[in-house]
């Protein structure tokens, strides 16, 4: 097997990249779709498996571009069936992926970056900083790996693992197109959700894309000073600028994004916070998703009591705002964002 300078190889390419690769080799256009089917419909591990490609083309591809697939470092299964994986990528970096089964549905939560630059105070990923962006194929591979492990078709996909999707916009869109394509994983666009900490440029960009992907915004506070403290990476984007971009998104797409709100005792669960949240949502096409915060080592935050979450839910509902409380899944296996990676690296440095 040849060794390649770039270990991510063909997994760094999106659909346009595969098309350019094939054109550059003087091959007909349909070869790009054949390669896509092998890489993302069937999760091929080698070029030799791609039996409908001419042998010469397979050899050329193998000599030019690495074809990596992640290894499972650890795999934990929760009592509720949720499986959480720590995966090793071609360059040795690690990311987390979660598979959540529910009847005949299987949702995959995948990572978009190794680490994250946003530094959210309650997030285990944010605490470690950004290491690198993932390539499109490295994101789709997480979905394929979970499908294989469960022996089930993936029905829903969420970009809610480690990383900020809109800080790696093109690669994430490239991945979602492979996830959506019939040649790839064949998951309907409406069953694909992107979660962002609120990068308004990305919100504007996604509203102009042809696919009807679903959007989730991590709000966590509608009080500027609280949000600045909890989410320092988006300090430069004011709540009013964020609100404007959501109004534009609704006007352009007619779709309802969800606002994620993880309740932290005495930080963002006070009456002042609730009043600010209600006024932020009034007149906006949104759905509020209340989440009991997952405790993270060293962050010093405590989850709000269930009663307080109920107060928020009732108040939002009576103000005419669509709301639900997310039931916690996989809590016994550190399934909160970034926690597994943190545990493993903590224990390996001790
Ligand atoms: N960077 C993106 C997507 C990844 S984070 C974003 O921030 O939206 C996925 C979700 O997990 C976000 O809503 C994030 O705010 C939330 N999250 C992170 N740490 C959490 C914790 N300790 N408890 C509950 N939710 C958390
Ligand atoms: Fe990054 Fe999202 Fe974690 Fe914030 S919550 S640090 S944006 S992964």
């Amino acid at each position: 097997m040849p060794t390649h300078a770039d270990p991510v190889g063909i997994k760094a390419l999106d659909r346009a990249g595969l098309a350019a690769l094939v054109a550059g080799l003087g091959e007909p256009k349909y070869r790009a779709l054949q390669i896509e089917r092998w890489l993302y419909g069937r999760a091929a591990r080698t070029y030799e498996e791609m039996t409908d490609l001419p042998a010469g083309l397979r050899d050329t591809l193998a000599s030019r571009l690495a074809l990596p697939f992640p290894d499972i470092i650890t795999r934990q299964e929760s009592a509720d069936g949720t499986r959480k994986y720590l995966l090793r990528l071609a360059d040795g970096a690690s990311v987390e992926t979660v598979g959540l089964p529910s009847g005949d549905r299987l949702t995959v939560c995948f990572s978009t970056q190794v680490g994250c630059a946003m530094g959210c105070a309650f997030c285990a990923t944010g605490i470690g900083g950004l290491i690198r962006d993932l390539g499109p194929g490295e994101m789709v591979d997480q979905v394929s790996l979970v499908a294989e492990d469960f022996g089930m078709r993936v029905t829903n996909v969420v970009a809610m693992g480690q990383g900020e999707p809109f800080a790696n916009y093109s690669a994430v869109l490239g991945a979602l197109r492979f996830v959506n394509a019939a040649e790839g994983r064949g998951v309907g666009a409406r069953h694909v959700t992107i979660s962002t900490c609120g990068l308004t440029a990305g919100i504007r960009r996604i509203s102009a894309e042809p696919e009807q992907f679903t959007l989730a915004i991590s709000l966590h506070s509608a009080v500027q000073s609280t949000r600045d403290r909890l989410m320092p990476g988006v300090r430069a984007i004011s709540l009013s600028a964020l609100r404007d971009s959501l109004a534009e998104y609704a006007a352009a797409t007619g779709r309802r994004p969800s606002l994620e709100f993880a309740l932290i005792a005495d930080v963002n669960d006070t009456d002042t916070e609730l009043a600010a949240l209600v006024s932020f949502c009034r007149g906006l096409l949104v759905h509020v998703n209340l989440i009991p915060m997952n405790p993270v080592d060293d962050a010093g935050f405590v989850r709000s009591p269930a009663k307080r979450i109920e107060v928020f839910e009732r108040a939002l509902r009576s103000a005419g705002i669509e709301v639900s409380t997310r039931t916690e899944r996989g809590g016994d296996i550190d399934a909160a964002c970034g926690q597994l990676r943190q545990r493993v690296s903590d224990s390996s440095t001790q």
Side-chain angles (χ1 to χ4, degrees):
M1 274 244 273
T3 48
H4 301 89
D6 168 18
V8 182
I10 200 160
K11 299 291 167 79
L13 304 181
D14 59 11
R15 290 192 118 185
L18 287 182
L21 171 70
V22 161
L25 295 172
E27 292 284 337
K29 273 189 185 157
Y30 67 86
R31 296 271 183 238
L33 286 180
Q34 287 179 305
I35 296 171
E36 180 175 340
R37 203 172 297 131
W38 281 109
L39 291 176
Y40 303 120
R42 302 182 197 162
R45 306 298 206 268
T46 63
Y47 290 108
E48 290 98 85
E49 287 166 57
M50 304 183 182
T51 45
D52 54 2
L53 300 184
L57 175 59
R58 282 184 262 154
D59 291 345
T60 307
L61 290 171
S63 67
R64 294 204 184 177
L65 287 166
L67 198 176
F69 195 81
D71 292 323
I72 299 178
I73 302 173
T74 60
R75 174 179 172 280
Q76 290 175 276
E77 182 157 347
S78 161
D80 64 17
T82 302
R83 293 183 197 167
K84 172 150 178 163
Y85 311 82
L86 183 67
L87 304 179
R88 187 185 297 106
L89 303 173
D91 64 346
S94 59
V95 290
E96 292 174 18
T97 305
V98 181
L100 301 105
S102 172
D104 54 5
R105 293 196 329 167
L106 176 60
T107 301
V108 175
C109 175
F110 72 95
S111 294
T112 57
Q113 296 181 307
V114 183
C116 182
M118 296 299 158
C120 298
F122 50 84
C123 174
T125 303
I127 292 166
L130 175 69
I131 298 171
R132 72 167 172 91
D133 286 336
L134 294 189
E138 294 181 296
M139 293 180 237
V140 192
D141 285 351
Q142 298 172 55
V143 179
S144 307
L145 184 141
V146 175
E148 285 184 3
D149 194 51
F150 277 86
M152 275 172 82
R153 201 176 88 79
V154 171
T155 55
N156 297 71
V157 168
V158 295
M160 267 196 198
Q162 295 169 295
E164 166 47 42
F166 287 165
N168 185 19
Y169 189 98
S170 305
V172 169
L173 255 283
L176 296 185
R177 293 201 165 119
F178 285 138
V179 164
N180 182 218
E183 292 78 11
R185 308 277 357 151
V187 180
R190 284 162 187 266
H191 297 134
V192 172
T193 302
I194 307 169
S195 178
T196 175
C197 60
L199 301 185
T200 48
I203 296 170
R204 295 213 165 84
R205 242 174 119 178
I206 198 87
S207 65
E209 301 290 356
E211 297 90 353
Q212 303 204 312
F213 297 129
T214 302
L215 185 63
I217 311 292
S218 298
L219 184 66
H220 304 311
S221 178
V223 172
Q224 193 69 58
S225 56
T226 311
R227 197 165 194 265
D228 288 352
R229 181 182 148 213
L230 290 178
M231 305 178 70
V234 282
R235 238 178 237 160
I237 301 170
S238 70
L239 279 160
S240 76
L242 175 60
R243 197 178 181 288
D244 289 348
S245 76
L246 292 176
E248 283 172 36
Y249 175 87
T253 66
R255 295 197 297 276
R256 184 188 295 272
S258 55
L259 299 180
E260 310 290 306
F261 202 104
L263 285 120
I264 311 172
D266 305 321
V267 174
N268 63 359
D269 71 347
T270 62
D271 290 344
T272 314
E273 291 280 339
L274 175 55
L277 177 59
V278 168
S279 79
F280 185 90
C281 295
R282 260 212 184 100
L284 267 190
L285 184 67
V286 287
H287 175 106
V288 177
N289 213 342
L290 301 174
I291 307 159
M293 188 208 59
N294 263 299
V296 171
D297 294 349
D298 306 330
F301 292 127
V302 176
R303 159 190 303 187
S304 301
K307 284 222 156 19
R308 198 60 206 152
I309 303 180
E310 281 166 30
V311 168
F312 265 58
E313 185 166 351
R314 242 178 286 123
L316 287 158
R317 188 160 294 129
S318 65
I321 296 155
E322 222 184 72
V323 57
S324 56
T325 298
R326 188 190 289 168
T327 49
E328 194 188 12
R329 297 210 45 195
D332 54 332
I333 55 162
D334 306 332
C337 180
Q339 289 190 348
L340 181 63
R341 188 160 159 268
Q342 188 191 41
R343 291 275 154 98
V344 170
S345 61
D346 282 355
S347 53
S348 60
T349 52
Q350 271 163 15

